[in-house]
Amino acid sequence: LTLESELRHAIRNNEFMLVYQPQIHLETGSVVGMEALIRWNHPLRGLVSPGDFIPIAEETGLIVPIGEWVLMEACRQNKQWQDVGLPAVPVSVNLSMRQFLQHDLKGKIHAVLEDTQLPARFLELEITESMTMDVEFATSSLRELKSLGVQISIDDFGTGYSSLHFLKKFPIDKLKIDRSFVRDVMCDPNDAAIVATIISMTHHLNLLVIAEGVETREQMHFLRDNQCNLIQGYWYSPPLPAQDMQNILRQSH
Ligand code: G
Ligand code: G
Ligand code: NA
Ligand code: MN
């Protein structure tokens, strides 16, 4: 069987799961968000990395039902945690290009929020810069999504097409500094300058900024000294199964 035909059955067979990576507020040290990341637990192949199946899912269009499952599961889990009295912190979900272009994405997200009874402010949608290339479309689409009350962040910021003009125009809430800039921030003065500049720019634009791929205490200190709002990365925690994320939420406040 090909990966493609197996992907078709994976939702029905309950082979997907979500892991969650905590996002930390640098001033207070508390967990203020989490990113949901999909994992495919294949019965024979074992764990298949999203890097291997998301591109196939994109090409075949299977990303649309898979993406809907991700949204539903992330919102369901977040609401359940709130219902048992854990601190209410938003969950962010990656949208693929194909999903972003899909007809009535707003209606589908609205339906998920209705079904799960999760207040919209607890859902954040991550898009990449390349999805904003068609500026007219992206602007109106993001406006529609924002009108639901969800948050929008730009993922992998700095690696794609970026126009500062549109950054100003787009109705977004947060930039996620790509981990490729964070990796060498302590040894490459250019990366240090880029990261410091992105942080300063986001503050001037009244956006929040989060650094991805933070792996060391030194990187964390650099980011804190430069007034970065949030961090995400192995230094605090890798992406975790729901049960482990739940323990972190319980301990963090
Ligand atoms: O979790 P990390 O392992 O290894 O993810 C690899 C890539 O897969 C990242 O680019 C990430 O954005 C993407 N990815 C992870 N989960 C999802 C998802 O639910 N939807 C989409 N579209 N991409 C995802
Ligand atoms: O493309 P996106 O930013 O959504 O992907 C997040 C990816 O980054 C996931 O694959 C996740 O497992 C990975 N990741 C999370 N924290 C770290 C980190 O500290 N270092 C590295 N190298 N990867 C990380
Ligand atoms: Na992401
Ligand atoms: Mn990213």
Side-chain angles (χ1 to χ4, degrees):
L1 280 174
T2 63
L3 216 50
E4 175 182 342
S5 64
E6 293 176 330
L7 257 186
R8 289 184 191 282
H9 303 294
I11 295 186
R12 253 206 331 261
N13 295 348
N14 255 320
E15 291 169 8
F16 291 121
M17 62 179 276
L18 292 184
V19 289
Y20 298 90
Q21 189 170 37
Q23 301 176 332
I24 314 308
H25 188 247
L26 276 172
E27 254 175 41
T28 62
S30 52
V31 175
V32 293
M34 61 184 91
E35 179 175 359
L37 294 153
I38 195 169
R39 295 291 179 263
W40 182 12
N41 197 354
H42 187 281
L44 300 173
R45 298 174 197 261
L47 267 188
V48 185
S49 129
D52 293 329
F53 72 85
I54 293 284
I56 299 173
E58 278 269 349
E59 277 164 37
T60 55
L62 287 167
I63 193 69
V64 171
I66 293 172
E68 277 172 29
W69 178 84
V70 170
L71 277 165
M72 186 64 90
E73 176 58 15
C75 292
R76 184 202 64 76
Q77 180 66 81
N78 196 278
K79 174 71 164 105
Q80 196 240 318
W81 280 332
Q82 295 191 31
D83 285 347
V84 299
L86 290 164
V89 301
V91 61
S92 69
V93 167
N94 291 279
L95 282 191
S96 73
M97 179 72 125
R98 194 90 170 223
Q99 270 179 295
F100 192 57
L101 297 175
Q102 140 194 29
H103 177 68
D104 198 24
L105 178 61
K106 177 187 173 183
K108 294 210 160 121
I109 291 175
H110 180 70
V112 167
L113 294 169
E114 286 284 300
D115 269 17
T116 58
Q117 288 294 296
L118 182 72
R121 68 180 182 282
F122 293 109
L123 176 63
E124 178 175 302
L125 303 172
E126 296 194 9
I127 65 164
T128 59
E129 288 170 272
S130 56
M131 298 186 204
T132 66
M133 293 260 277
D134 182 342
V135 176
E136 299 262 298
F137 175 82
T139 310
S140 70
S141 182
L142 290 177
R143 286 227 175 88
E144 284 199 355
L145 294 175
K146 280 298 296 177
S147 74
L148 291 170
V150 301
Q151 309 287 310
I152 308 282
S153 64
I154 305 287
D155 196 11
D156 304 336
F157 184 74
T159 61
Y161 164 93
S162 56
S163 155
L164 301 182
H165 174 67
F166 301 125
L167 255 193
K168 188 184 72 176
K169 260 182 64 170
F170 283 139
I172 58 174
D173 302 286
K174 191 187 286 176
L175 293 186
K176 300 191 77 176
I177 303 176
D178 189 69
R179 65 170 183 263
S180 63
F181 300 112
V182 174
R183 188 184 54 220
D184 297 328
V185 87
M186 301 314 294
C187 56
D188 184 336
N190 291 332
D191 283 328
I194 288 168
V195 168
T197 303
I198 295 176
I199 294 169
S200 157
M201 179 188 71
T202 56
H203 292 323
H204 283 106
L205 292 169
N206 279 315
L207 302 173
L208 287 171
V209 60
I210 178 166
E212 301 182 295
V214 178
E215 295 185 355
T216 69
R217 176 177 301 274
E218 290 70 28
Q219 291 168 346
M220 181 274 286
H221 282 153
F222 175 91
L223 292 157
R224 200 180 55 192
D225 293 346
N226 281 278
Q227 273 84 50
C228 187
N229 302 119
L230 312 170
I231 57 166
Q232 178 180 340
Y234 298 159
W235 176 70
Y236 189 85
S237 169
L240 301 168
Q243 186 60 54
D244 297 334
M245 182 68 219
Q246 181 171 319
N247 293 334
I248 284 201
L249 274 181
R250 184 172 293 119
Q251 290 155 16
S252 119
H253 288 246

